Amino acid sequence: MTEEIEFILDSTKESMTGSIAHLEKEFLNIRAGKASPAMLGSVFVDYYGSATPLSQVSKISVPDARTITLQPFEKNMLQVIEKAIMVANIGFNPMNNGDVIIISVPALTEERRRDLAKQAKVEAEDAKVGIRNARKDANTDIKKLEKEGTSEDICKSAEEEVQNLTNTFIRKIDELLVVKEAEIMKV
């Protein structure tokens, strides 16, 4: 195969791998009932005028499966952090004891579990769209090379290789979704 086709295949694989990595990151934000610092990954705090990730203004720890504690690096940040958690609308009600913020992670109801499973399906479908877009871009680039004089056989085998990559990554997404749904639905 030509260098151009190798480059197209490598960049397609890289793009598809990025879609999987993004999906895994999104799955971390979908909580499955067990407390985790990743649950607060989407929370940003107004730290002296700039939006700062919560993990950079406080120490986040998980003393047990149902509790998250936040120890701000500066005492005056307690109310600001509490407000940021409320504004993030992630379903938590933070409590402040003057030193630390304590978040009790509520047990998931059956209805909430179904909603989270639907959310996981939506994220998986978005990842599949990303995979398909990478396939489309690669096939477009391969067709351009064919018009520029690259052998038709080489281009056909490159398109087959792109389709094989697509199938592999779509299967991986389906596997990740099955694992996440099982984790969510487990009581």
Side-chain angles (χ1 to χ4, degrees):
M1 278 198 211
T2 65
E3 282 183 37
E4 292 96 348
I5 289 186
E6 289 294 330
F7 177 76
I8 290 169
L9 292 175
D10 288 345
S11 62
T12 302
K13 192 171 191 174
E14 189 177 317
S15 175
M16 291 179 176
T17 303
S19 290
I20 296 283
H22 179 75
L23 176 66
E24 289 171 336
K25 185 173 168 252
E26 289 302 316
F27 275 178
L28 284 177
N29 292 334
I30 300 174
R31 64 188 186 98
K34 190 174 155 203
S36 159
M39 293 176 169
L40 300 172
S42 62
V43 178
F44 284 82
V45 178
D46 180 24
Y47 186 66
Y48 298 107
S50 67
T52 308
L54 184 59
S55 60
Q56 292 182 10
V57 295
S58 67
K59 177 181 173 238
I60 303 172
S61 57
V62 183
D64 61 59
R66 293 265 175 241
T67 311
I68 300 173
T69 59
L70 300 152
Q71 175 83 47
F73 298 137
E74 300 175 27
K75 282 265 196 241
N76 63 340
M77 293 300 292
L78 276 170
Q79 279 76 27
V80 178
I81 291 172
E82 243 183 325
K83 184 178 177 215
I85 293 169
M86 298 295 276
V87 168
N89 196 21
I90 50 178
F92 293 141
N93 190 15
M95 293 174 287
N96 167 355
N97 73 2
D99 288 327
V100 294
I101 295 172
I102 301 166
I103 299 171
S104 294
V105 178
L108 295 174
T109 64
E110 184 67 27
E111 182 181 345
R112 182 69 179 137
R113 286 180 195 280
R114 281 197 199 102
D115 289 345
L116 290 174
K118 283 180 192 169
Q119 186 181 346
K121 281 182 183 163
V122 167
E123 293 297 340
E125 196 52 47
D126 287 349
K128 286 180 183 180
V129 168
I131 299 290
R132 291 182 195 118
N133 285 338
R135 175 186 61 191
K136 185 179 119 219
D137 293 344
N139 285 338
T140 301
D141 292 345
I142 291 169
K143 292 248 189 292
K144 280 182 193 169
L145 287 178
E146 191 174 350
K147 285 180 184 170
E148 292 170 5
T150 304
S151 159
E152 189 178 327
D153 291 341
I154 291 175
C155 291
K156 282 287 178 217
S157 70
E159 286 176 356
E160 288 172 12
E161 181 64 29
V162 168
Q163 187 58 48
N164 289 340
L165 280 173
T166 302
N167 294 342
T168 302
F169 280 95
I170 295 280
R171 255 192 315 277
K172 175 97 170 119
I173 288 171
D174 289 336
E175 291 166 7
L176 289 171
L177 179 61
V178 167
V179 169
K180 188 63 180 180
E181 282 181 326
E183 179 185 320
I184 289 170
M185 297 311 283
K186 190 172 96 180
V187 180

